[in-house]
Amino acid sequence: MKKKFKFKKSVKVFFFVLLVVGICFVAYNVIMNNDKDNNYNEGFGNNQNTDKIDETLLTLGYSEEDISVLKANLSDSEISSLDMYDDNVISFVSNKYFNFNNLERYITYSKNNNYDVDEIITHVNINIDKPFYSEIKTIEDPSNLLVLCNKYNALPSDYEPEDLTEVGSSGIYMRKEAAENMYQMVLAAESAELNVNLVSGYRSYDYQVDLYQRHVRERGQEEADRVSARAGHSEHQTGLAMDLSNDWSLEKYFEDTELFEWLSENDYKYGFILRYPKDKEYLTGYDYEPWHYRYVGVEVATVIHEEDITYEEYVMKYLTTN
Ligand SMILES: [Zn+2]
């Protein structure tokens, strides 16, 4: 009897505990539901959206791990507009210079070439996945000292720098800052007992029209495009470029001269860069021109010198905002 009574008591305790747990459970749910109702427009709505995006990405073929990389590198709107899968997407988005607007071009370019991810991103950002002189943009700020003028970016036909200044008494003109630095560079080269000829500085749009046409007549258009700029695409129209020589000619053998060697070591100290380096034609659009120097200022020229990159790469890395 005593044992049975004890059993009944423990049953009562059991039901009491069950009742308390039950009340707590109901109370918790009521509170949480109220919370959800209150925050429906913010938190709850977003969670639902995120789940949907994750689901879409999983369906496209991205793994959970991929999705967290995508979320770490892309904005919400970029993620929701991602509608394709490619093996390389994850390594593209992780690249420092990745631009979401170029994603399809990175994928197409990577399929047609054997470049690594860095090269693919760089080349596409520079536009060289597109044919030269295709989709030409007119330069909005042609008087900017860091203007990028190439086969994709054209100067307005009426652009003429306002501060053209003669370099020494050479009869050759450049923008004032470039002219002053060129003059100092020539003096320094001369004090190293080197002979320097200034062959060509500022050239007007109209002059370039004639020059390019002459090349086309003499060599045909394809060859003319390798060695000469179409009007509006010549750096000489910026007033920031200069062709240098030691014997008035502009020939490849200039690279074997002492002057060229001196320039290779000293041009950046005066703010100049070799604009069309050897083996970089695919980036710059021009055949190697050991004689063509472009003024970009000492700071930028130093970076280009140290990193051994073309101006196109410099602009992509340091001046382009995605
Ligand atoms: Zn030139």
Side-chain angles (χ1 to χ4, degrees), residues 14 119 155 180 200 243-244 280:
F14 174 76
E119 290 168 318
L155 296 160
E180 287 167 359
S200 185
D243 294 335
L244 296 172
K280 296 292 171 71

Side-chain angles (χ1 to χ4, degrees), residues 51-119:
D51 291 346
K52 211 176 143 193
I53 289 169
D54 283 15
E55 217 174 279
T56 312
L57 292 172
L58 287 166
T59 313
L60 283 171
Y62 295 99
S63 68
E64 304 265 2
E65 203 181 319
D66 291 345
I67 293 172
S68 59
V69 176
L70 292 172
K71 285 180 176 172
N73 291 285
L74 300 179
S75 71
D76 290 351
S77 64
E78 287 171 346
I79 292 182
S80 22
S81 61
L82 186 62
D83 56 0
M84 68 181 104
Y85 176 85
D86 185 88
D87 287 342
N88 290 321
V89 169
I90 296 304
S91 42
F92 289 150
V93 302
S94 314
N95 187 281
K96 193 176 171 190
Y97 303 108
F98 173 79
N99 178 342
F100 187 78
N101 298 326
N102 292 343
L103 180 57
E104 283 183 48
R105 287 168 59 197
Y106 298 139
I107 293 171
T108 308
Y109 190 71
S110 70
K111 290 197 193 326
N112 300 331
N113 295 282
N114 288 321
Y115 294 116
D116 64 27
V117 170
D118 274 348
E119 290 168 318

Side-chain angles (χ1 to χ4, degrees), residues 10-29:
S10 61
V11 168
K12 279 181 190 166
V13 170
F14 174 76
F15 279 111
F16 178 72
V17 170
L18 200 66
L19 185 68
V20 171
V21 170
I23 289 167
C24 289
F25 180 76
V26 170
Y28 174 80
N29 276 295

Side-chain angles (χ1 to χ4, degrees), residues 28-38:
Y28 174 80
N29 276 295
V30 168
I31 291 165
M32 288 315 286
N33 272 332
N34 279 342
D35 256 18
K36 277 183 184 171
D37 288 346
N38 291 340

Side-chain angles (χ1 to χ4, degrees), residues 254-266 293:
F254 182 60
E255 72 171 336
D256 299 321
T257 63
E258 277 182 58
L259 176 57
F260 179 78
E261 196 184 331
W262 186 90
L263 288 166
S264 307
E265 286 161 16
N266 297 286
Y293 292 82

